[in-house]
Amino acid sequence: MRRVFVSYSRQNLEAVTQLIADMQAVGIDTWHDQTLTGGQRWWDNILANIRECDIFVFALSPESWDSEACKSELGYVMKLGKPILPVLVAEGININLLSAPLNEIQVTDYRRRDKDAAFALLKSINTTPPTPALPEPLPDPPRVPISYLSTLKDRIESHEPLSSQDQITLIFELEEGVRQGRSAIELRDLLLRLKRRDDLLAKIDLKIDEALKNLDEREQTKRNEGHPPPPSKPPAPHNFTEEFRSPANPGICSRCQAPLQPGTRFCGSCGKPLEENSSALAPMPINTPAPKVERSETRTYTCPDCDASRLITDVKAWLNAQGFDSQQMETEAQSLLLQIKKRGGWRDWVGMATSLNILFHQAGDTLTVEIGAGKWLDKAAVGAVSMVVLWPLAITAGYGAWEQMKMPDKIFDYIGARLSYR
């Protein structure tokens, strides 16, 4: 098994920890620096492990791209001729603006940190070119990078007494690190080291407690951003039929899907009373959750309300090019249902008229997409689809066939790719 060296910024420690865990889970031998501070011996140890590795993984983020230590490691591995694998772990990097050597190498996207990202990472590692022999003689090693945290640690642990001004300067620099979003683990360690000094002033001790509190609040905010609590006033679900409710085109008939004329009380095509029709399309309460489908998969995307309809149009066009028929229907939960089926004899192989149901549910700037299997519905007869009627029709065997085609994953990937380019 090839040995992997991971170069990273400690400000991305959470993402890198999972990255390393995913590699180790499949038996890949990894090494990364876990030392808090630097020094010559620390730096020599890093360089030795770079020389011994087979693949150099660069955890790409704005922080690592600006890190002097990461730049020195990258420059050294280039001189050694080792294979380099850039892995994107955070937002804020424009891949098109990367400089050499990363602009010449395919970047692996690990930002989502899901199974697809892990498989892509493993594939990149397995397809990386063989490691050449080390050059002779070895290139000169880079100097020890000046570390912000190393300098602070040395000053905090000095055996000399710290004057009042020294302590004020140290706590100011540590507070600035908290405000800049530097590594919480390392800042907490340094604050506690300073707090343990025998000559610490009482006012500095209070400042340390305040900085630790701010650090904890910052970390709690980051955790909440990953799992946001429900808003006190949930945004209204997106009404995908809004375009049909304008004065020029006030609605469609839920029975026959024919356009309705302004000022009429009955559908001019099938005669259905408009009072009944309008009630079928009436908005649900604003706290209506996205419906859940038996044996389904769900993903959530950031998508402005104004982009949802265009996205669905793109999805339908892409599916058509892939050889799928599709039909679009509104649900009583003010979501949009897109049913697809393969053209030709594929559904006979499945054993029934099985469709893949793609449910789009918009709430504010959040788009929830849920995919499950069901019977192909008669659009003209169904009208606005009741979730109570639709989802009990989920077909386990049918969904398994769609999974064999990997269509759910392909659709999710297409939606994610389209949104990332908007």
Side-chain angles (χ1 to χ4, degrees), residues 5 46-54 56 72-84 130-142:
F5 180 100
I46 286 178
L47 299 182
N49 278 278
I50 290 177
R51 290 190 292 269
E52 294 172 4
C53 77
D54 298 307
F56 180 87
S72 295
E73 293 167 1
L74 182 61
Y76 189 56
V77 83
M78 287 174 59
K79 293 179 181 179
L80 295 175
K82 301 272 187 178
I84 300 171
T131 307
L134 290 173
E136 293 184 6
L138 288 173
D140 293 334

Side-chain angles (χ1 to χ4, degrees), residues 18-19 22 87-88 108-124 299 413:
Q18 185 171 338
L19 172 73
D22 284 344
V87 179
L88 190 61
T108 300
D109 192 345
Y110 188 76
R111 288 172 296 178
R112 285 166 56 180
R113 295 187 246 168
D114 56 11
K115 65 176 182 180
D116 294 334
F119 286 143
L121 172 65
L122 182 60
K123 180 180 178 181
S124 298
R299 290 189 189 174
D413 290 344

Side-chain angles (χ1 to χ4, degrees), residues 128-412:
T128 300
T131 307
L134 290 173
E136 293 184 6
L138 288 173
D140 293 334
R143 294 181 179 179
V144 180
I146 299 175
S147 169
Y148 160 85
L149 294 176
S150 297
T151 303
L152 282 179
K153 178 177 178 291
D154 291 342
R155 287 158 58 193
I156 289 172
E157 295 192 334
S158 170
H159 296 296
E160 299 296 325
L162 290 178
S163 67
S164 173
Q165 186 58 48
D166 290 337
Q167 296 184 33
I168 291 173
T169 301
L170 281 169
I171 190 60
F172 175 81
E173 293 181 26
L174 289 167
E175 288 174 334
E176 184 64 21
V178 174
R179 285 190 291 270
Q180 292 177 356
R182 293 182 178 272
S183 169
I185 295 175
E186 296 171 350
L187 285 171
R188 183 177 287 106
D189 182 271
L190 292 172
L191 285 165
L192 292 175
R193 287 173 186 264
L194 181 58
K195 190 177 178 68
R196 288 194 291 266
R197 282 195 63 100
D198 294 333
D199 56 355
L200 190 68
L201 300 173
K203 63 180 181 180
I204 300 299
D205 187 62
L206 293 175
K207 285 285 189 180
I208 292 174
D209 290 340
E210 183 178 344
L212 289 169
K213 180 181 177 182
N214 292 337
L215 199 58
D216 291 339
E217 290 175 351
R218 190 192 80 185
E219 291 303 295
Q220 184 61 48
T221 299
K222 289 174 62 176
R223 287 191 291 269
N224 290 340
E225 289 174 352
H227 303 281
S232 57
K233 185 178 180 181
H238 177 70
N239 183 355
F240 286 101
T241 58
E242 185 177 354
E243 59 188 286
F244 296 105
R245 298 181 186 227
S246 65
N249 195 358
I252 57 174
C253 178
S254 62
R255 175 185 293 170
C256 67
Q257 305 295 301
L260 300 175
Q261 298 301 318
T264 59
R265 297 179 57 193
F266 298 90
C267 174
S269 178
C270 69
K272 183 174 183 178
L274 295 192
E275 289 82 0
E276 179 184 353
N277 184 74
S278 60
S279 65
L281 294 177
M284 295 293 286
I286 62 173
N287 60 352
T288 302
K292 291 299 178 183
V293 183
E294 181 185 356
R295 187 86 196 277
S296 67
E297 293 186 47
T298 303
R299 290 189 189 174
T300 301
Y301 304 89
T302 299
C303 175
D305 185 74
C306 59
D307 284 346
S309 297
R310 184 174 59 174
L311 170 68
I312 294 167
T313 300
D314 292 346
V315 171
K316 290 170 64 177
W318 173 72
L319 289 168
N320 181 66
Q322 300 293 315
F324 294 91
D325 292 324
S326 64
Q327 63 178 3
Q328 175 178 320
M329 288 173 279
E330 290 291 325
T331 75
E332 291 181 353
Q334 290 304 303
S335 301
L336 185 140
L337 172 68
L338 186 64
Q339 286 196 309
I340 69 170
K341 62 180 179 180
K342 186 71 173 176
R343 298 191 192 106
W346 180 81
R347 62 179 181 157
D348 297 329
W349 170 65
V350 174
M352 56 181 64
T354 304
S355 69
L356 195 64
N357 298 327
I358 310 169
L359 185 70
F360 298 87
H361 185 87
Q362 184 83 29
D365 286 340
T366 299
L367 177 68
T368 301
V369 181
E370 188 157 13
I371 299 179
K375 287 184 179 179
W376 182 265
L377 300 176
D378 184 347
K379 180 177 179 179
V382 173
V385 180
S386 166
M387 305 311 299
V388 176
V389 171
L390 177 63
W391 297 136
L393 299 178
I395 304 164
T396 303
Y399 189 69
W402 287 101
E403 284 182 313
Q404 290 179 32
M405 297 176 67
K406 302 188 182 300
M407 280 309 299
D409 287 339
K410 291 179 181 178
I411 293 169
F412 283 134

Side-chain angles (χ1 to χ4, degrees), residues 11-21 89-90 110-111 113:
Q11 291 178 258
N12 308 122
L13 187 59
E14 180 181 351
V16 171
T17 298
Q18 185 171 338
L19 172 73
I20 292 169
V89 299
Y110 188 76
R111 288 172 296 178
R113 295 187 246 168

